[in-house]
Amino acid sequence: MQFDSFSSFLHMGGYAFYVWLSFAVSFGVMAVLVFASYRQHRSHLKSVVLEQERLQRIKRAKKNAAVSVSHDR
Amino acid sequence: MWKWLHPYAKTENAYQLCLTLQPWLWGCALVCLIVGTVWGLAFAPQDYQQGDSFRIIYIHVPSAILSMSTYIAMAVAALVGMVWQWRTAYMAMIAMAPVGAVMTFIALFTGAAWGKPMWGAWWVWDARLTSELILLFLYIGVIALYGAFEDKQQGGKAAGIMALVGVVNIPIIHYSVEWWNTLHQGATISKFDSPSIAPEMLWPLLINLAGFAFFIAAVTTVRLRSEIVLREMHRPWVKRLADESGVA
């Protein structure tokens, strides 16, 4: 351990602001990237499911339309 | 020799590979980053000139080195996509771009926070800093160009050309401290014959370098899977995957 006490560790020999700012922002940005990447993955999976449902709705509507046309005749 | 690579041109195989590697990459990244950062912050000796401010090196140097490595990896993916017509390679390219941009941002930001106490300025228009800033713009350009195309196949090609052209910037960044007069210090650890840094300072740096590399790889696997899902939306295996994921 290079520091005598926890407070001198936090003090960083007078450079506390610059050192802790660097580490906080860096790991903060990295955490945001991880969070955003997983959220994007979820939203892409969701859009696949929604697209599936949409295609099925269209299919059903077409089928129903065809049935009602045949009933009209 | 490179034949083992061919099955991974298939998106389903690439997806599975990412899924298998992912927990290992996250694990290694976490362990290395914690060990390297704690060691660097609390146990490495003080610099005789810069005191404790030099501890910023433990994120500045890894992120700066890897911002360039990631760019090269991205450009290689673009080249593979172009030469062998691999769609998956373009997907890997675009998966890496935001990760590299974040690394570049970290390098620039920590550089500024280190420059202020040491040089007395957050920013100077010096060759190293300016060329690294251009790297950030290249990443953003690749992302924006890809996003501007409705047809992602076309977007991949356009962004790939941009990524390849931007490679000229990499040697400029690397040699900028030799070619121009600069405030920025010269290479420290890339001189493998005689690194100009004490071993007890070097070890945590190398561990953090590995940690950042694992981190980049891990995020890339997540982003690549997400890109594959979007682009292969109409494949049966993706439909099955989405159904089983229970998102909707």
Side-chain angles (χ1 to χ4, degrees), chain B residues 92-177:
Chain B
M93 173 194 81
I94 209 64
M96 276 184 269
V99 192
V102 164
M103 284 301 130
T104 314
F105 170 79
I106 291 176
L108 287 168
F109 186 87
T110 55
W114 196 1
K116 181 62 184 165
M118 289 301 115
W119 301 342
W122 293 98
W123 183 264
V124 284
W125 290 103
D126 136 296
R128 173 57 71 84
L129 280 68
T130 308
S131 53
E132 183 76 8
L133 185 64
I134 291 171
L135 185 71
L136 181 63
F137 293 154
L138 281 169
Y139 276 123
I140 294 173
V142 167
I143 298 166
L145 194 55
Y146 183 77
F149 280 81
E150 188 70 34
D151 176 357
K152 291 302 175 198
Q153 191 59 19
Q154 290 298 318
K157 279 180 195 160
I161 290 170
M162 180 164 183
L164 280 176
V165 172
V167 170
V168 292
N169 192 36
I170 297 296
I172 295 179
I173 297 175
H174 185 78
Y175 291 108
S176 57
V177 286

Side-chain angles (χ1 to χ4, degrees), chain A residues 15-53:
Chain A
Y15 295 109
F17 174 69
Y18 302 106
V19 172
W20 295 119
L21 178 75
S22 298
F23 279 82
V25 168
S26 302
F27 289 128
V29 172
M30 284 156 81
V32 168
L33 176 70
V34 172
F35 179 75
S37 300
Y38 274 102
R39 210 179 55 176
Q40 187 195 48
H41 188 55
R42 267 183 75 84
S43 93
H44 284 179
L45 284 171
K46 204 169 188 168
S47 65
V48 173
V49 175
L50 292 178
E51 174 71 8
Q52 274 315 101
E53 289 171 357

Side-chain angles (χ1 to χ4, degrees), chain B residues 11-225:
Chain B
T11 48
E12 189 173 1
N13 295 336
Y15 190 98
Q16 284 307 326
L17 180 69
C18 286
L19 213 53
T20 316
L21 289 177
Q22 205 176 296
W24 299 100
L25 293 171
W26 279 129
C28 293
L30 206 64
V31 169
C32 289
L33 283 176
I34 289 172
V35 171
T37 302
V38 170
W39 190 349
L41 275 176
F43 296 95
Q46 267 190 1
D47 186 73
Y48 80 105
Q49 275 185 327
Q50 303 195 359
D52 287 314
S53 76
F54 101 98
R55 296 182 196 280
I56 295 174
I57 202 177
Y58 294 111
I59 34 181
H60 178 71
V61 166
S63 60
I65 291 178
L66 290 166
S67 69
M68 291 188 273
S69 317
T70 308
Y71 194 92
I72 292 170
M74 190 176 86
V76 168
L79 187 72
V80 170
M82 232 167 269
V83 174
W84 287 281
Q85 308 277 312
W86 279 23
R87 295 168 60 242
T88 320
Y90 286 128
M91 296 177 200
M93 173 194 81
I94 209 64
M96 276 184 269
V99 192
V102 164
M103 284 301 130
T104 314
F105 170 79
I106 291 176
L108 287 168
F109 186 87
T110 55
W114 196 1
K116 181 62 184 165
M118 289 301 115
W119 301 342
W122 293 98
W123 183 264
V124 284
W125 290 103
D126 136 296
R128 173 57 71 84
L129 280 68
T130 308
S131 53
E132 183 76 8
L133 185 64
I134 291 171
L135 185 71
L136 181 63
F137 293 154
L138 281 169
Y139 276 123
I140 294 173
V142 167
I143 298 166
L145 194 55
Y146 183 77
F149 280 81
E150 188 70 34
D151 176 357
K152 291 302 175 198
Q153 191 59 19
Q154 290 298 318
K157 279 180 195 160
I161 290 170
M162 180 164 183
L164 280 176
V165 172
V167 170
V168 292
N169 192 36
I170 297 296
I172 295 179
I173 297 175
H174 185 78
Y175 291 108
S176 57
V177 286
E178 293 174 25
W179 292 345
W180 290 282
N181 276 324
T182 174
L183 274 174
H184 198 286
Q185 66 188 65
T188 304
I189 58 168
S190 58
K191 300 182 291 184
F192 276 116
D193 44 338
S194 58
S196 47
I197 177 170
E200 54 271 34
M201 286 178 175
L202 180 63
W203 275 111
L205 186 58
L206 292 179
I207 293 171
N208 249 7
L209 183 63
F212 272 81
F214 283 125
F215 174 85
I216 291 170
V219 182
T220 302
T221 57
V222 178
R223 300 196 70 91
L224 177 56
R225 285 196 297 128

